[in-house]
Amino acid sequence: MKDEVVIQVRGLRKQYRLGKINAGTLEQAIRERRERKKAMRRGETAGRGEGTFYALDGIDLTVRRGESLGIIGRNGAGKSTLLKILSRITAPTEGVVDLYGRVSSMLEVGTGFSGDMTGRENIFMNGAILGMTRDEIREKMEDIVRFSGVEDFLDTPVKRYSSGMYVRLGFSVATHLESDIVIMDEVLAVGDVDFQKKCIDRLSRSVKEQGKTVLFVSHNMNAVRQLCRRCIVLDRGRIVFDGDVEGAVSTYLGTDRSLPAEVEFGPEYRQDDHLVRPVIRFSINRMRLISGDTPVFSCEEEAVLELACRAEVPLRGVAFRFEVWYQDHTKAATALSGNALDLEAGEHSIRVVFPLRHLTPGGYRADIVAFQYDGRGGEYRIDAVYPGFVFQIRPTAGERYYVEWRGQFWGAVRLDDLTLRLQ
Amino acid sequence: MMSVKGGGGSGTPSYHVRLVPKTRGIHLGLGEVWRYRDLVLLLTKKTFTMTYQQTLLGPLWILLHPVFSSLVHMLVFGRIAGIGTGGVPGILFYFASMAVWEMFAYSLHTNAQTFISSAHLFSKVYFPRLSVPFSGLLVSLLKFCIQLIVILPMWTVYLIRGDIHPVLPALPLLPLLLLQLSMLGMSVGVLLSSLTTRYRDLMHLVGVGTSLWMYASAVVYPLDALPPGRLRSLITLNPVTQIMELIRRITLGEGMFSLPRYLFGVALTLLLFLAGAAVFSHVERTFEDTI
């Protein structure tokens, strides 16, 4: 039962044409056809190959009952196309997909809701679109309403709903479906944090207790971590990683951006610069990594950077801080410089030593902020670059007391080790 | 596109769907539409509520629409052009004919827009796409039934007064004829909607085409008002003419009927239905990529 295959994808490819060829008028189509025939007569291959690309380029995937599979990848990697084919919205160009079980797909919350109909009517409509019969919906009505928390507005047209209520209602209907395979695309991105948590709990429970299979596309790595035990990374229509979530996240970040050892900070590195710096007195112009060629470290190492800066006027008490973000866009921690520099006007090269021992394996970026102490516990920001320094911490196995860091539960910062002494 | 197998397997029914690039033969998927019949009904209900939401007269418009158009036709064809109605009282002739025609025209019209008007749904969730045309068909039939509220009393009064001479034993055939007509409209509509996903030009043709079709269908004039000749035999080849005349023959006692031509119309209806469904099922598989 546990090893039962529910989704079997073999050699799946999906071709799209580039340009507006298909959106044409009759005249265009006739002309095109004629040209294609002409080309064939000349012995050329028909103009099919050019102007096309494969959104999915050879996908093989097996998913078993009770698995929750995360699908991550950059925009355009083919995630949505894969879900569209599995949801039977569009047909594959090549390959075979076998689905063993009822599929309910949620590529959008509240598909088929119409504003003029009441919440109750829309539950029936939405449920029917998703493949439930009226009796099934009636049976589940109470649960759906309770889960969504819109009891009092059930007979109000949904156009008067707040967007949160709308999302909750749509999600409730979809998760109460009698289905074996649940497909979700980024639907949790909407809705508030509490409701997101409630949804993830509900889904994980249905995976565990009812043996449902969940396919989940998201850019929110934390949601993927909480819901999924297995994760694939798509890149340009292929699966480049298939395995545990942490590995997938690292791979995804690896494909996401290259890690430069030297960065020139142009205007694209500054946010609201005119607000932060009405008068430019100080600029961080360049960052160069001194320790190593690539910014990949183990947590025992220190990163040594050189910042090329320019002071327009003499400045006293210039300090720096690194605001460190974890790869899922949550703030991990901040490092402050322990001392400050007095600078003459002109170019300066400032060496920064950045100890990394509190950071756990994963991808990080640090916003570099330069500021002056005002002497009363406050600070005055003179420049900031976002992100100033992008780096990775690689896992260090092999220690005597090594344990894999579980960032989703423990956080991105590892405090100094506790000392145990038997009394 | 797929094969669905229901069957045993640890208490719960097991489903198997296979998705492949190409299908061989015509795949209608009518069984699946049947499983989604609740959706068809809900879509029908939705069309009704949406059409008459925030209107003063509401569903009364279903009655007013043919009243106005039959008054106009009575004036233009009856008074100005002086074309008779084959002895049938004018108001009943035009009203009944218009109601029947509008059922056909509605079925054609709404379904010709299936892919365009349901694009937002089709691109987000799978359900048998034919559910939408079938609900269009139901709406057209329902509208006609509502119009019967006016037609029936009128008909009864004229019947009692002896102004019309219907073929009463043939009355049970009426629902079948109406269904055939409505299906014909749906088939043509579905065919058009499949083609409009590729060629938007067709959208503009639908409006012009239906009004031309009406004049070629002996709706606002009895067929025998036409002089025998090439034009008349051409018009009799039109399946709508045959159904129209047959309905009027049965209900009003006026109309020409030729069995071979009618059977030709039935064959054409079936052919168009199959063609429509086949093209539709071909288009629905990849329409998402072209729309």
Side-chain angles (χ1 to χ4, degrees), chain A residues 1 10 14 16-17 22-26 29 84-102 105 107-108 111-112 114 116-117 121 124-125 128-131 133-135 159 180, chain B residues 1-2 4 10 12-22 32 35-36 38-39 41-43 45-46 49-50 53-54 120-127 129 197-201 284-290:
Chain A
M1 187 75 180
R10 275 166 296 176
K14 177 71 185 177
Y16 282 104
R17 294 209 211 167
N22 267 349
T25 58
L26 199 60
K84 269 185 185 162
I85 290 174
L86 293 179
S87 323
R88 299 166 69 186
I89 285 161
T90 189
T93 310
E94 285 169 38
V96 178
V97 178
D98 282 303
L99 300 169
Y100 301 90
R102 286 221 292 191
S105 69
L107 304 191
E108 181 191 69
T111 304
S114 55
D116 282 318
M117 302 204 303
E121 286 169 328
F124 276 107
M125 191 70 207
I129 286 176
L130 293 167
T133 65
R134 239 182 317 182
D135 292 333
K159 64 182 171 190
D180 310 299
Chain B
M1 178 173 191
M2 81 275 125
V4 181
S10 68
T12 52
S14 66
Y15 295 81
H16 173 218
V17 180
R18 168 166 280 200
L19 315 176
V20 290
K22 289 222 161 56
E32 232 193 339
R35 271 202 282 127
Y36 275 74
D38 283 335
L39 176 62
L41 293 178
L42 279 167
L43 284 171
K45 196 177 146 201
K46 181 180 165 183
T49 36
M50 299 307 278
Q53 197 111 57
Q54 300 191 347
H120 62 287
L121 267 187
F122 287 3
S123 66
K124 291 296 178 196
V125 64
Y126 174 80
F127 56 89
R129 308 310 194 200
T197 61
R198 289 298 277 270
Y199 313 112
R200 301 277 173 96
D201 314 47
E284 70 170 13
R285 293 161 45 73
T286 52
F287 113 97
E288 174 32 34
D289 311 337
T290 47

Side-chain angles (χ1 to χ4, degrees), chain B residues 129-177:
Chain B
R129 308 310 194 200
L130 269 179
S131 311
V132 175
F134 271 108
S135 104
L137 178 110
L138 273 188
V139 173
S140 74
L141 286 172
L142 266 175
K143 279 190 168 178
F144 179 78
C145 290
I146 293 173
Q147 285 161 353
L148 279 181
I149 299 173
V150 174
I151 298 173
L152 270 181
M154 206 175 359
W155 182 80
T156 319
V157 168
Y158 282 119
L159 182 67
I160 293 167
R161 282 175 41 172
D163 291 338
I164 47 174
H165 310 284
V167 189
L168 290 174
L171 272 183
L173 285 177
L174 214 52
L176 281 179
L177 287 171

Side-chain angles (χ1 to χ4, degrees), chain A residues 196-262:
Chain A
Q196 280 184 20
K197 192 178 170 319
K198 207 169 148 188
C199 294
I200 289 180
D201 285 349
R202 188 183 160 78
L203 283 169
S204 342
R205 222 177 322 126
S206 63
V207 168
K208 273 189 207 117
E209 290 164 16
Q210 296 157 33
K212 279 194 190 186
T213 306
V214 176
L215 263 60
F216 183 58
V217 163
S218 182
H219 286 111
N220 180 345
M221 297 301 146
N222 257 334
V224 175
R225 268 199 202 96
Q226 283 167 39
L227 185 59
C228 305
R229 292 285 156 268
R230 177 184 166 198
C231 188
I232 60 172
V233 182
L234 289 180
D235 189 33
R236 271 162 269 157
R238 293 165 190 270
I239 297 179
V240 293
F241 181 90
D242 185 347
D244 68 305
V245 178
E246 290 309 317
V249 171
S250 312
T251 310
Y252 166 55
L253 291 164
T255 62
D256 201 25
R257 59 171 82 90
S258 57
L259 299 168
E262 192 164 354

Side-chain angles (χ1 to χ4, degrees), chain A residues 124-373:
Chain A
F124 276 107
M125 191 70 207
N126 198 217
I129 286 176
L130 293 167
M132 290 158 107
T133 65
R134 239 182 317 182
D135 292 333
E136 274 179 314
I137 301 168
R138 213 168 279 137
E139 215 172 89
K140 297 263 164 71
M141 185 59 116
E142 213 177 298
D143 291 339
I144 293 173
V145 173
R146 199 183 318 118
F147 188 81
S148 66
V150 298
E151 290 94 338
D152 300 340
F153 303 91
L154 211 50
D155 294 305
T156 309
V158 295
K159 64 182 171 190
R160 312 216 190 289
Y161 278 30
S162 74
S163 53
M165 284 157 63
Y166 189 92
V167 167
R168 289 206 301 269
L169 190 64
F171 193 88
S172 301
V173 183
T175 50
H176 283 79
L177 284 180
E178 288 288 340
S179 63
D180 310 299
I181 303 164
V182 181
I183 295 176
M184 294 207 304
D185 188 6
E186 232 10 286
V187 279
L188 288 177
V190 282
D192 58 44
V193 181
D194 284 345
F195 189 71
Q196 280 184 20
K197 192 178 170 319
K198 207 169 148 188
C199 294
I200 289 180
D201 285 349
R202 188 183 160 78
L203 283 169
S204 342
R205 222 177 322 126
S206 63
V207 168
K208 273 189 207 117
E209 290 164 16
Q210 296 157 33
K212 279 194 190 186
T213 306
V214 176
L215 263 60
F216 183 58
V217 163
S218 182
H219 286 111
N220 180 345
M221 297 301 146
N222 257 334
V224 175
R225 268 199 202 96
Q226 283 167 39
L227 185 59
C228 305
R229 292 285 156 268
R230 177 184 166 198
C231 188
I232 60 172
V233 182
L234 289 180
D235 189 33
R236 271 162 269 157
R238 293 165 190 270
I239 297 179
V240 293
F241 181 90
D242 185 347
D244 68 305
V245 178
E246 290 309 317
V249 171
S250 312
T251 310
Y252 166 55
L253 291 164
T255 62
D256 201 25
R257 59 171 82 90
S258 57
L259 299 168
E262 192 164 354
V263 185
E264 189 86 38
F265 298 121
E268 70 272 19
Y269 282 85
R270 293 184 162 84
Q271 300 166 354
D272 300 327
D273 201 32
H274 59 289
L275 296 177
V276 177
R277 302 190 299 170
V279 180
I280 295 178
R281 299 192 298 152
F282 183 81
S283 304
I284 309 168
N285 293 325
R286 220 168 30 253
M287 182 282 291
R288 195 160 65 87
L289 181 68
I290 308 282
S291 56
D293 301 328
T294 50
V296 180
F297 310 93
S298 76
C299 64
E300 294 106 56
E301 289 178 87
E302 291 177 329
V304 183
L305 316 177
E306 208 166 67
L307 297 175
C309 305
R310 180 180 170 77
E312 305 295 336
V313 290
L315 293 165
R316 296 184 59 78
V318 175
F320 288 88
R321 70 169 178 267
F322 283 20
E323 296 178 9
V324 182
W325 299 77
Y326 192 51
Q327 57 202 6
D328 58 5
H329 311 304
T330 55
K331 207 161 227 174
T334 295
L336 280 172
S337 61
N339 59 332
L341 304 171
D342 295 336
L343 301 176
E344 300 295 318
E347 303 282 344
H348 298 280
S349 177
I350 299 167
R351 184 167 289 209
V352 184
V353 177
F354 180 23
L356 303 164
R357 68 188 162 107
H358 288 295
L359 294 176
T360 55
Y364 294 88
R365 66 188 166 83
D367 299 337
I368 301 177
V369 181
F371 63 97
Q372 283 177 292
Y373 288 107

Side-chain angles (χ1 to χ4, degrees), chain B residues 32-161:
Chain B
E32 232 193 339
V33 176
W34 177 246
R35 271 202 282 127
Y36 275 74
R37 58 190 178 276
D38 283 335
L39 176 62
V40 177
L41 293 178
L42 279 167
L43 284 171
T44 309
K45 196 177 146 201
K46 181 180 165 183
T47 310
F48 267 96
T49 36
M50 299 307 278
T51 317
Y52 301 107
Q53 197 111 57
Q54 300 191 347
T55 58
L56 265 182
L57 299 174
L60 211 58
W61 280 113
I62 298 177
L63 298 179
L64 288 178
H65 205 254
V67 165
F68 289 138
S69 55
S70 44
L71 282 178
V72 169
H73 288 123
M74 220 166 117
L75 188 73
V76 174
F77 286 87
R79 292 285 151 78
I80 299 174
I83 301 170
T85 53
V88 176
I91 183 72
L92 182 61
F93 179 89
Y94 289 115
F95 197 106
S97 305
M98 278 318 289
V100 172
W101 168 258
E102 285 208 342
M103 183 192 74
F104 170 78
Y106 179 87
S107 186
L108 193 158
H109 229 259
T110 31
N111 288 326
Q113 293 162 8
T114 303
F115 278 110
I116 306 265
S117 62
S118 304
H120 62 287
L121 267 187
F122 287 3
S123 66
K124 291 296 178 196
V125 64
Y126 174 80
F127 56 89
R129 308 310 194 200
L130 269 179
S131 311
V132 175
F134 271 108
S135 104
L137 178 110
L138 273 188
V139 173
S140 74
L141 286 172
L142 266 175
K143 279 190 168 178
F144 179 78
C145 290
I146 293 173
Q147 285 161 353
L148 279 181
I149 299 173
V150 174
I151 298 173
L152 270 181
M154 206 175 359
W155 182 80
T156 319
V157 168
Y158 282 119
L159 182 67
I160 293 167
R161 282 175 41 172

